[in-house]
Amino acid sequence: MVNDPNAVEVKTLNFFYGEKQALKNINLDIKRNEITALIGPSGCGKSTFLRLLNRMNDLIAGVRLEGKILLNGMDIYAPEAESADIRRRVGMVFQKPNPFPKSIFNNVAYGPMLHGIKNKHGLNRIVESSLRAAALWEEVKDDLHKSALSLSGGQQQRLCLARALAMEPEVLLMDEPTSALDPISTSKIEELVMDLKNSYTVIIVTHNMQQAARISDKTCFFYMGELIESGATDQIFTLPQQRQTENYITGRFG
Amino acid sequence: MKANNLKKRKYYTVAVFALFRLAALLTAAALAGIVLFLIIKGAGSISWDFLSQSPADSMTKGGIFPAIIGTFYLTAGAMLVALPLGLATAVYLSEYARPGRINSIIRLSVANLAGVPSVIFGLFGLAFFVTKLGLGISILSGSLTLALIIMPTIISASEEALKQIPLSYREASYALGASHWQTVFNVVLPAALPGIITGSVLSLARAAGETAPIMYTAAVFYTLHLPSSLFDPVMALPYHIYKLATVGTHEALVPIRYGSCLVLIGLVLGMSLAAIIIRTKIRRNKQW
Ligand SMILES: Nc1ncnc2c1ncn2[C@@H]1O[C@H](COP(=O)(O)OP(=O)(O)O)[C@@H](O)[C@H]1O
Ligand SMILES: [Mg+2]
């Protein structure tokens, strides 16, 4: 299992909101230390898929899942799997920056503190290294006790990234993390994501095809709840195998 | 024809808004009128002695210090009891209780509690806290009775404040592996605190101003001593005013009466102000 290059394996996944099927027969392997981009028109199920990987959809009533999702070999929907445990191992950055209305320090320390790290020294170290990894340290190191809400949108999103990284997750999920940001903040986040690849497995939803092309190794195209095509990003953008993929990336719909 | 219609509609709009504005102004004027009236009638009797001395010569001289202290204790006591209980109820109702029979029964009770006349609380306090539990006419009995009265306000204010917390905060917390309880306790409650405090300010004023509930449970017209324990009765401003207005006919009582009213209003506004300052501090720092 240690030699298995896949961080995530999705096997014959079907997912329903009540009667409505949102994902149909998805099979996908996601390699460790790669950036995988999920693209497709809005409403095709990208967020739904992403939120299945850290069991965020558990919070919605009346949902049903068939199939399996393996995280480094472990079935995350097995009866003995704890959702809180899975979420600790799979970090998430949301579409809109959502820092807690707490200080910058407490935002980053929130996760580690929840999971029992209490000593000041250890927390200081985690906060600093996480903020460095999110390229925010230099900007905020003198203001760690200021409210996170005083930061700009782009800084807030990097803070949310630092907050997720503080847990040292095995996989990092990002759901259109730059859609609420200006171009400069967006390119900062993109650079960061590419740097993270060395230590993390990143799955990123984006509606921006240039972004997918710029930063990802693999690209998966979703359409109406189905995974139409997945493969190396270069190949998807230059030689798509499916008509629907080609239509989408050439902008004929979506 | 069309232009005419438009014109008509415009006049109509202007008229309606004028009416609304009038209503709003009337409300403001009522408050200003009351305060002004009290200042004119009562400001003359306000002095350092009036605030810091005990009454003398059958209330015709001296100050109202014991009543101020009594009202302060009763109000603080009521808040101390009602705030945690009300908050706990609100958290239970909005975060834990599944919609169902028990939930509706609790909600219905809370709503109806808010509608019970305060004199009935007073009688209940007398029967239950004073007599049955044997707490006597005391700060404790009065505070508990007042606490019952302000609970519904605190509960609904807290529920409202909890509801305002965006889902995105909860999601962020869950996504870090927090449990429901951890999320409520560490994220939702602190974020709702300013709103909870704001809502509770109203009940604070109510607790300070009520007469009927403390009449049988806590207040006395005159005591020689300041209270030394929770089991002592106290003088209290609203009761003092009520007594001065109904019992005494002495000329000298009139300014003292208005002076007491002014102090009561000042106390309530002061406590509200303090709450607002605390809230702003919390909002600014966000450092919990
Ligand atoms: N909580 C929900 N309840 C019911 N249906 C939902 C819910 N969330 C999403 N859906 C539906 O599932 C489909 C996929 O949505 P989503 O995963 O958000 O798409 P995307 O992120 O690709 O825009 C849509 O048709 C959407 O209406
Ligand atoms: Mg989406």
Side-chain angles (χ1 to χ4, degrees), chain A residues 172-191:
Chain A
L172 183 65
L173 310 175
M174 307 180 96
D175 193 348
E176 303 193 21
T178 61
S179 66
L181 304 183
D182 60 84
I184 293 174
S185 305
T186 297
S187 65
K188 267 193 190 148
I189 300 260
E190 287 183 7
E191 275 171 40

Side-chain angles (χ1 to χ4, degrees), chain A residues 50-60 63 71 74-92 114-115 167 170 173, chain B residues 170-183:
Chain A
L50 201 69
R51 293 163 65 92
L52 284 175
L53 302 180
N54 66 341
R55 291 191 55 169
M56 283 301 274
N57 287 336
D58 289 14
L59 302 171
I60 300 167
V63 298
L71 171 64
M74 177 205 168
D75 179 357
I76 64 171
Y77 284 91
E80 67 275 10
E82 286 274 349
S83 60
D85 202 46
I86 305 301
R87 292 183 197 137
R88 218 166 297 170
R89 295 168 54 192
V90 182
M92 186 163 217
L114 277 185
H115 302 110
M167 301 296 294
E170 295 163 36
L173 310 175
Chain B
R170 296 171 194 268
E171 284 195 323
S173 176
Y174 286 127
L176 291 161
S179 66
H180 184 36
W181 164 245
Q182 287 170 324
T183 300

Side-chain angles (χ1 to χ4, degrees), chain A residues 239-251:
Chain A
L239 273 178
Q241 303 296 303
Q242 302 293 325
R243 166 56 64 70
Q244 286 144 314
T245 315
E246 187 180 345
N247 285 346
Y248 183 70
I249 60 174
T250 54

Side-chain angles (χ1 to χ4, degrees), chain B residues 20-42:
Chain B
F20 285 176
R21 186 169 303 141
L22 194 68
L25 283 176
L26 228 56
T27 316
L31 178 66
I34 291 171
V35 173
L36 207 65
F37 173 73
L38 288 180
I39 290 178
I40 290 168
K41 292 275 203 176

